[in-house]
Amino acid sequence: MTYIAKPKFHHPGLKKNDLGYTHRDYEGKISTLCAGCGHDSITASIIEACYELSIEPHRVAKISGIGCSSKTPDYFLGNSHGFNSVHGRMPSVLTGANLANRDLIYLGVSGDGDSASIGFGQFAHSIRRGVNMTYIVENNGVYGLTKGQFSATADRGSKSKKGVMNTDNAIDLVAIALQLGASFVARSFSGDKTQLVPLIAAAIRHKGASFIDVISPCIAFNNHAGSTKSFDYVREHNDAVNRLDVLTGRDPITVDYAPGTVQVVEQHDGTRLALRKIDADYDASDRLAAMTFLQKHAAKGQVVTGLLYVDPDAEDLHTHLDTVETPLNTLEAEDLCPGSAALEKINASLR
Amino acid sequence: MPDQSPISSVNDFVVRFANVNGSGSASANELFARSILRHGVPVSPRNIFPSNIQGLPTWYEVRVTEAGHLGARGGVDMMVAMNPQTWDKDVASIEPGGYLFYDSTKPMPSSKFRSDITVIGVPLTAITNSTYTDPRQRQLFKNIIYLGALCALLDMDPKLIEQLIGEQYKGKEKLLSSNVHALHLGRDWALQNLKCPIGLQVKKADKVGDRIFIEGNSAAALGAVYGGATVCAWYPITPSSSVAEAFTSHCKKLRHDPKTGKAKYAIVQGEDELASIGIVIGASWNGARAFTATSGPGISLMTEFIGLSYFAEIPAVIMNIQRAGPSTGMPTRTQQCDIIACAYASHGDTKHVLLFPEDPAEAFEFAAQSFDLADRLQTMIFLMLDLDIGMNNRLCRPLKWDDARQYDRGKVMTAAMLDEPGRDFGRYLDVDGDGIPYRTYPGTHPTKGSFFTRGTSRDRYARYSEEGAVYADNMQRLVRKFETAQDMVPRPLQANAAKPTKYGVIYFGSTSPAMDEAIGLLEARGHQLDRMRIRAFPFHSSVASFIADHDFVYVVEQNRDAQLRQLIVNENGIDPVRLVPILHYDGTPITARFIANAIGDHQDHLKVTPLRKAVS
Ligand SMILES: Cc1ncc(C[n+]2csc(CCOP(=O)(O)OP(=O)(O)O)c2C)c(N)n1
Ligand code: SF4
């Protein structure tokens, strides 16, 4: 059996969150990815973020495509339903699931091959529709599961493990998400948990299409010299625009708060994002500025990380479709079926 | 005077209108068909249109049929030739003794007519131009004027047409009166200048009863509303677009919460068919009833997801309105050509449930039922319509709904069930021996019942596994499930010939009305046939018995490769020699004449001795 069960033992002394859940309640099966894969660190950050937010694990639906990255939903939130769909099609499956039940939290996990190549269209359209989701791309610049081919996010001029030079231009998913109207756009690095955990938490809290591109080195096929998605490369070229805290309490004042360095963004659900600015001019509420900022730094070979853009008043697809508050999957015949009297009227109009 | 005596027939003839696409003739032509219905005379109309928007030829054919034959008949008794582009072809297609109605504003050389038909000229352009100045009005009212002239020629009651115009423009007095005026303009001109009525006439009868006149696509969409579909994702393609469009308009009228005005449905126009079926699968996985409507090329794109639905056991409904393939084929012509593509869609070993409604009434019923079936079987259900039913108004029995009917959501485990002591939830456990496992909706229970859905092989507890025995066990259960489906899907309907016979005929879907009529024609030729109308795949056991009970069985279909026959042979292990294919695939709807000729010729060839004589 290729499936590895995790022992269910919980240490009685484990720390509990507001709902009384321990960290273990947010874990899933034991990962079968390569030891040291960036994707496992992202899994850990998702677990941490959900724990900190005191989410009920079973109220999350985790949906993915195909690839090493897309396997990861099996490794977190073991008590929630997961769906490992087909290559590149996570966004449509997630969109459908979201339409059926607006009350769950939707986590979409994908790879750069999954989202920037075969699923590029679905990625784009789910973002432009404003599906209320947290869309995480675990971006390693290669196809991990099929053993090391370049993906569409591989930078031009970067080298494969076999030394082949990539001559195609790279797709920057963050730039595209911004252009398509995502209302929460961030980039992070799998090795930077301090930055990634609050970003994921804020994205989950955000009502609308949240997109996080996480550079996640593939230690098997893309962690060598010449790669621009390796641990070393990203560490050396990372330029974080802000550090983020998600404040779920009513009182936004924290010890870190110091006027002039913190920008507080209030989201629709009452949570506040406290952005501790590193770059003094960075304004995360200006989509256009974010696009320019990104391009400027990319030209310098810098990987900009942090929350690049957020629209706290975002609307989602359900708002656009003006659907009822009750989840559609709970409506029954009495709510949905117009009945025989209405049908008689329709018959009469057709004579 | 024509050198052939003019056809003389009351309530039994075919009128064909030849128009230019985009000239606004469609509504006048439909008005003509409806007004004959109001005379109590059944009609069977058909749109014959090109795959472009403007300028190309389009035809609308109305079969007036007091006997109630709803299949296409073939042949044209009266041609209303409004398209100079297709003049020669249109004139050639008139039956000897038939009638040609044309715009005589510009004189035509006699070589443009035929000597064996009656030519009726009305200076339509001259009349319209002298009455209207606005070019758009000229175009639109010209159509109503020829309708008025036909009203006089065919001896129709103008009051009934006025009534219909009144219903159409209720509350829009100006439009109403101007249309009625145009109608009389044409009618009066004909009465004053032509010999009215001609040999073809409409007389009041009482042959329509309480039947309704509706398109299959609209009926199927209404079935989706009644069946509880809440999510529809689609991508435009002829001839299926009107399913989603009708679903949208039905929902707007029937599915808004009276208190808040909010929608109890979600309709998304996907970016393509891949997204549409993905949305459907995601919604169904999460417990909503969801469907998409498409046609052949869309089915091709959806096949990867169809395999996922089969293997991961996710309910979904696809309405496939078939058109002529392969590839883009003839996008606006009808065929029944996706049988094999749908029955075995996707890679690996798959089998899918197909439903074959014969008319809009059944399209409504089967559409509603398909959501119960999808939920009960946790699999993809294909509702197989075609352009001929989908995009043409058909006369059919009124739609019926039983208010006591509840949706059958199939085997769904609730939180309370999961908490029952001793309950073992395994997503793919065959608890009842019918091959159908229990599922849970996401979010059901904090600690029990969650599972990981995937297209990869897994064990009975939904745990990833590539062990051969585990995989085979799962595949065998899927076969068991498909066998269970046999007794859930609509059964075939059988009718015996008036006299005992060794021959049978199998047919399905939109062939139905042509077949009903063909049986009569064959009887008149001395051929008796027992018949079976197949309404679903998997085939019920009675299909094999029907074949076993006859020496030969004709299988009538509208495709080149005898796809239903292939499926019967393949699934029931029947000797193919016993199934004689009768195939019609030029993109036009199959006619009774075609079936009767093809089967009749074959029967004559067999030099059949009627069984009655042999045993007497
Ligand atoms: C239709 C289809 N084509 C190709 C594949 C093969 N395939 C599986 S995973 C994958 C690429 C995965 O790359 P990425 O999304 O970047 O994920 P990673 O493995 O790098 O995390 C490919 C091409 C497939 N499963 N389905
Ligand atoms: S191949 Fe690369 S992406 Fe896949 S698990 Fe190994 S390290 Fe991770």
Side-chain angles (χ1 to χ4, degrees), chain A residues 3 23 34 48 78 82 112 158 241 267 304-305 334 341:
Chain A
Y3 143 80
H23 211 272
C34 308
E48 189 63 37
D112 44 305
S158 65
V241 293
Q267 299 223 88
V304 186
T305 62
E334 42 284 10

Side-chain angles (χ1 to χ4, degrees), chain A residues 3 58-59 74 78 81-82 84 93 96-97 106 122 129 322 324 329 333 335-337 339-340 343 347 350-351, chain B residues 38 210 213 226 255 262-264 271 275 279 282-283 286 399 401 403 407 440 443 445 450-451 453-454 463 467:
Chain A
Y3 143 80
H58 73 293
R59 304 299 294 170
D74 215 5
H81 280 66
N84 199 181
V93 175
Y106 293 92
Q122 294 218 338
R129 289 192 183 105
D322 199 22
V324 286
N329 69 350
D335 304 301
L336 298 174
C337 183
S340 61
L343 199 55
N347 281 328
L350 296 166
R351 291 192 178 109
Chain B
R38 289 291 171 97
D210 67 346
F213 195 54
Y226 274 75
R255 277 281 192 78
K262 286 181 177 288
K264 290 191 266 185
E271 58 271 28
I279 290 172
N286 213 1
L399 309 179
W401 188 258
D403 286 327
Y407 298 148
T440 51
H445 193 286
S450 71
F451 61 92
T453 304
R454 45 160 64 90
R463 294 173 302 209
E467 267 181 44

